[in-house]
Amino acid sequence: MPTSFIRFALTALLLTLGLTSHAQIGGATVKTEQVRAELMAHAPQGVQAGQTFWLGLQIAHQPHWHTYWQNPGDSGLPTQLHWTLPAGLAAGDIAWPLPKKIPIGTLANYGYEGRLLLAVPITVSAGFQFPASGGLPLQLQAEWLVCRQECIPQEGRFSLNLASAAPQKAHAALFETTQKLSPQTLPQLQQGGSWITGGQTQLSDDGQQLSLRVHGLPASWRGQTLSAFPVTASVVHNAAVQGKDWTQSWQGAVWRAQIPVSPERGDSPASM
């Protein structure tokens, strides 16, 4: 049975056991019994034509509750952000910060507890002009699934008005910390007269194991035990335990790992 079907069935069951979805409408902040969510802006250079600034949704969870990463794992749903922005502004993809593995019996999900920020780059067009009056209105419709033993689908409508194009730095430390927890591009390595990317993945002949080879990691990481999180869903065995089901090792500056493929993997993705 494909993992995608299992994930759908588990999520449907969780939603059935949970409470009714409810929408919250607020200004920059929305509160439920499980989370406090706030829309924030970070524009260290101001809102200028041809530049990029950041918007982010900070979610603070009550103890023992969690929401999900872009790959939720064996069940769950990722948080969705839908923007309504003035002409000349374009929202990019969420810069998902590092999640944690959340075991559930023989399964495992990927998500967040405590406090996190989902930051999104906002590109300003070359011909953009900040409104002469009334400020810059920014609106967000967000949807998230928050779970403990039960799961509750929630949504919130957020609005934020920037009074001027001046720099916005009130949340600089938060955005900078989140950026450090987001994926970084590894440097290329010259090998045999050609350049190769910072990581390679190979599927074993029997289709049961993924072999990872990663170089260009910080020198201070060498010899340490690392974790691997699959961005693509329905590929690896999410509940596999390090040291028991999958292994890792260092060979000089190169980190290697053997991670089991999901036994229920279907036809997607067709190529790995």
Side-chain angles (χ1 to χ4, degrees):
M1 184 178 297
T3 304
S4 57
F5 177 81
I6 295 174
R7 179 182 298 108
F8 175 80
L10 285 170
T11 302
L13 176 60
L14 290 171
L15 294 179
T16 301
L17 295 175
L19 304 178
T20 303
S21 171
H22 51 93
Q24 299 285 329
I25 301 176
T29 303
V30 163
K31 294 181 181 179
T32 72
E33 293 182 2
Q34 296 75 30
V35 304
R36 179 186 185 276
E38 182 178 359
L39 178 59
M40 299 176 171
H42 177 55
Q45 307 302 322
V47 181
Q48 304 293 336
Q51 301 295 317
T52 297
F53 69 100
W54 292 82
L55 293 175
L57 183 66
Q58 180 180 250
I59 301 177
H61 305 80
Q62 288 295 320
H64 311 301
W65 290 88
H66 63 268
T67 54
Y68 293 92
W69 187 43
Q70 61 187 123
N71 171 15
D74 290 320
S75 63
L77 295 169
T79 299
Q80 301 286 331
L81 305 182
H82 310 283
W83 300 94
T84 301
L85 303 174
L89 302 184
D93 296 329
I94 298 173
W96 294 91
L98 182 71
K100 66 174 294 184
K101 181 183 285 189
I102 304 173
I104 303 178
T106 59
L107 306 176
N109 292 333
Y110 302 109
Y112 305 99
E113 297 173 334
R115 191 183 303 267
L116 83 142
L117 178 68
L118 299 178
V120 172
I122 307 297
T123 302
V124 184
S125 67
F128 177 80
Q129 292 185 345
F130 199 94
S133 62
L136 189 68
L138 309 167
Q139 296 182 348
L140 169 65
Q141 168 77 23
E143 301 157 2
W144 60 88
L145 183 67
V146 58
C147 300
R148 189 174 56 180
Q149 292 180 339
E150 68 275 23
C151 286
I152 306 174
Q154 298 178 341
E155 58 181 343
R157 300 175 187 175
F158 303 81
S159 61
L160 190 64
N161 192 75
L162 301 185
S164 74
Q168 304 279 332
K169 300 181 180 180
H171 306 294
L174 182 60
F175 277 84
E176 290 168 2
T177 298
T178 297
Q179 185 179 29
K180 294 176 182 178
L181 294 175
S182 300
Q184 308 294 320
T185 301
L186 292 172
Q188 290 187 323
L189 176 69
Q190 190 170 19
Q191 188 177 73
S194 61
W195 291 91
I196 60 175
T197 58
Q200 297 84 43
T201 307
Q202 184 175 0
L203 183 65
S204 62
D205 292 339
D206 61 6
Q208 300 300 307
Q209 293 279 334
L210 281 179
S211 297
L212 307 184
R213 180 180 182 273
V214 185
H215 57 78
L217 297 172
S220 60
W221 291 15
R222 295 177 189 175
Q224 297 189 32
T225 299
L226 307 184
S227 297
F229 295 90
V231 172
T232 305
S234 305
V235 173
V236 307
H237 179 32
N238 297 311
V241 178
Q242 156 65 15
K244 175 183 176 183
D245 302 308
W246 69 279
T247 60
Q248 63 173 281
S249 63
W250 285 90
Q251 296 180 355
V254 178
W255 181 75
R256 296 176 180 270
Q258 300 281 337
I259 301 179
V261 171
S262 171
E264 290 88 17
R265 189 178 76 86
D267 295 331
S268 178
S271 175
M272 294 194 294

